[in-house]
């Protein structure tokens, strides 16, 4: 039952953001750029009584993933600007995200920094 409540609340947030984006694309993008998923996840983890340390590790994971996510969005933007079909643009973005994370992890390991 709890999982259903999480899914429904999260879906409502996504629905609202999508409706705002449909009517006002720039504002929808700004709202979508908010860390809504991260905030919802932190709330759900807290409600599920996860430890503060666990939530802190989650937050660090979000921070580590930000550069790759920004790069992915840039690739999708450039692909669509070049008239590449949305499905292919998203695919290119997803691949670029994974490659970026791999490179980021390799660089971090060169400096003995664990991600």
């Amino acid at each position: 039952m709890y999982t259903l409540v999480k899914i429904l609340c999260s879906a409502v947030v996504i629905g609202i953001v999508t409706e705002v984006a449909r009517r006002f694309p720039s504002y929808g993008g700004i709202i979508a750029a908010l860390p809504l998923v991260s905030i919802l996840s932190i709330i759900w983890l807290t409600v599920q009584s996860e430890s503060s340390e666990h939530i802190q590790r989650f937050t660090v994971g979000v921070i580590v993933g930000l550069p790759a996510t920004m790069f992915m969005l840039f690739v999708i933007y450039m692909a669509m600007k070049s008239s590449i079909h949305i499905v292919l643009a998203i695919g290119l973005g997803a691949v670029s995200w994974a490659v970026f994370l791999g490179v980021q992890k390799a660089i971090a390991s060169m400096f003995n920094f664990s991600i």
Side-chain angles (χ1 to χ4, degrees):
M1 179 64 176
Y2 180 71
T3 301
L4 184 60
V5 170
K6 288 193 307 189
I7 291 169
L8 290 174
C9 289
S10 301
V12 167
V13 169
I14 292 168
I16 290 169
V17 171
T18 304
E19 281 303 307
V20 170
R22 191 172 64 78
R23 292 186 176 100
F24 310 100
S26 294
Y27 291 126
I30 291 168
I31 293 169
L34 291 171
L36 294 172
V37 172
S38 300
I39 291 169
L40 283 172
S41 297
I42 290 168
I43 290 168
W44 298 135
L45 288 169
T46 302
V47 169
Q48 291 175 296
S49 300
E50 290 294 337
S51 69
S52 178
E53 181 183 316
H54 185 88
I55 295 171
Q56 289 171 12
R57 286 195 319 258
F58 168 80
T59 305
V60 168
V62 171
I63 292 167
V64 168
L66 282 175
T69 299
M70 291 188 311
F71 186 69
M72 176 195 73
L73 292 170
F74 177 74
V75 168
I76 292 170
Y77 168 77
M78 293 305 292
M80 292 183 68
K81 189 174 181 178
S82 299
S83 300
I84 294 176
H85 190 272
I86 184 72
V87 173
L88 183 55
I90 291 171
L92 289 170
V95 168
S96 70
W97 178 81
V99 169
F100 193 102
L101 277 179
V103 170
Q104 183 178 339
K105 187 170 183 175
I107 291 170
S109 70
M110 287 174 26
F111 294 99
N112 295 324
F113 182 78
S114 66
I115 296 179

